Amino acid sequence: MAPLEGGPRLVLLFSGKRKSGKDYVTEALQSRLGGDVCAILRLSGPLKEQYAQEHGLNFQRLLDASTYKETYRRNMIVWGEEKRQADPGFFCRKVVEGVSQPVWLVSDTRRMSDIQWFREAYGAVTQTVRVVASEQSRQQRGWVFTPGELLTTFAPKPATPPVDQATCFLVLGHLLSHGEAVGVDDGESECGLDNFGDFDWVIENHGDPQRLEEQLENLIECVRSRL
């Protein structure tokens, strides 16, 4: 667990669907507050770096949008889920190593285990931010719904009566751990916080620049009050 002494003054955990604008919002905040004050932390960064180290791959090429990354995407997702199942805080600990700025913007919080780790490590300085956008706005930014793929060796039979979401995630976890399912828009990495429901901040990013600006100013005021 990360030490509290000498730690950040504010940790903002950003989550949201693909193309909701999480990166845009965190980068806008950092540009206004300054890189010496604000650090953007991406949990996917240490995942790709560690995967590259353990498998002898080119880390920089895993960061771009190349066919190189796509070649390893499925195996990388399975590997990442196995790491999280064994140690839910594995990537959280990695991403905070050596960060000295007083404000941390975690731009890709995806799971309850991520929130729990930061809350346990940094307590009251941790706040959650949900970035939301309409499907129409996301589609205009290039989003296309991509369902999960079940691979053949383990396919659960339809349940009667239907199972709840928690059970679905347990089944998905089993499939991932066996390399047999990769979800995108219907996977845990996209849906794990859908029912969290108690975010400290909600940023609406439906394509109205003025409305977005007002919300960013409110958040910036909160950040500055912690410095």
Side-chain angles (χ1 to χ4, degrees):
M1 185 172 295
L4 284 170
E5 185 177 354
R9 296 187 182 182
L10 183 64
V11 179
L12 296 177
L13 305 179
F14 288 80
S15 66
K17 299 294 188 179
R18 289 196 304 131
K19 299 297 182 179
S20 61
K22 300 184 297 296
D23 286 337
Y24 178 85
V25 169
T26 53
E27 288 167 7
L29 290 171
Q30 186 188 51
S31 70
R32 298 180 195 194
L33 293 162
D36 57 331
V37 170
C38 247
I40 296 177
L41 311 182
R42 294 183 172 90
L43 293 170
S44 60
L47 186 155
K48 292 175 181 177
E49 184 174 17
Q50 190 74 16
Y51 184 80
Q53 289 176 0
E54 292 191 14
H55 294 82
L57 302 177
N58 186 317
F59 170 54
Q60 293 301 322
R61 294 191 65 189
L62 289 178
L63 294 175
D64 62 30
S66 66
T67 55
Y68 184 87
K69 180 183 71 175
E70 294 305 318
T71 301
Y72 298 102
R73 177 186 291 276
R74 176 181 170 274
N75 288 339
M76 190 160 53
I77 291 174
V78 172
W79 176 87
E81 290 301 323
E82 290 174 346
K83 286 287 188 184
R84 288 189 185 92
Q85 288 172 16
D87 179 1
F90 182 83
F91 297 112
C92 297
R93 286 195 303 275
K94 288 284 185 183
V95 81
V96 303
E97 289 178 356
V99 181
S100 59
Q101 292 93 327
V103 178
W104 298 357
L105 311 178
V106 182
S107 67
D108 56 351
T109 310
R110 299 182 184 279
R111 296 166 174 81
M112 269 303 305
S113 59
D114 298 335
I115 294 176
Q116 289 168 351
W117 188 88
F118 279 97
R119 282 179 168 175
E120 290 175 5
Y122 300 106
V125 305
T126 302
Q127 295 189 21
T128 55
V129 185
R130 186 70 165 179
V131 181
V132 299
S134 65
E135 286 196 2
Q136 181 180 0
S137 296
R138 295 166 62 206
Q139 288 167 351
Q140 290 172 349
R141 298 168 192 153
W143 174 72
V144 177
F145 180 83
T146 305
E149 175 185 1
L150 292 182
L151 306 179
T152 57
T153 60
F154 182 94
K157 301 293 188 294
T160 306
V163 296
D164 59 21
Q165 186 183 51
T167 304
C168 288
F169 282 153
L170 287 174
V171 172
L172 178 62
H174 177 91
L175 291 167
L176 283 166
S177 69
H178 287 77
E180 296 158 336
V182 175
V184 181
D185 289 298
D186 54 359
E188 186 183 5
S189 64
E190 283 295 304
C191 304
L193 295 176
D194 280 2
N195 295 321
F196 180 68
D198 192 24
F199 296 100
D200 297 296
W201 300 84
V202 176
I203 302 293
E204 296 180 0
N205 185 26
H206 304 303
D208 182 342
Q210 183 175 351
R211 173 62 180 147
L212 179 60
E213 180 65 26
E214 292 170 356
Q215 297 171 92
L216 291 179
E217 284 300 322
N218 289 336
L219 193 51
I220 288 169
E221 184 178 343
C222 169
V223 172
R224 286 177 173 155
S225 71
R226 300 295 187 102
L227 298 176

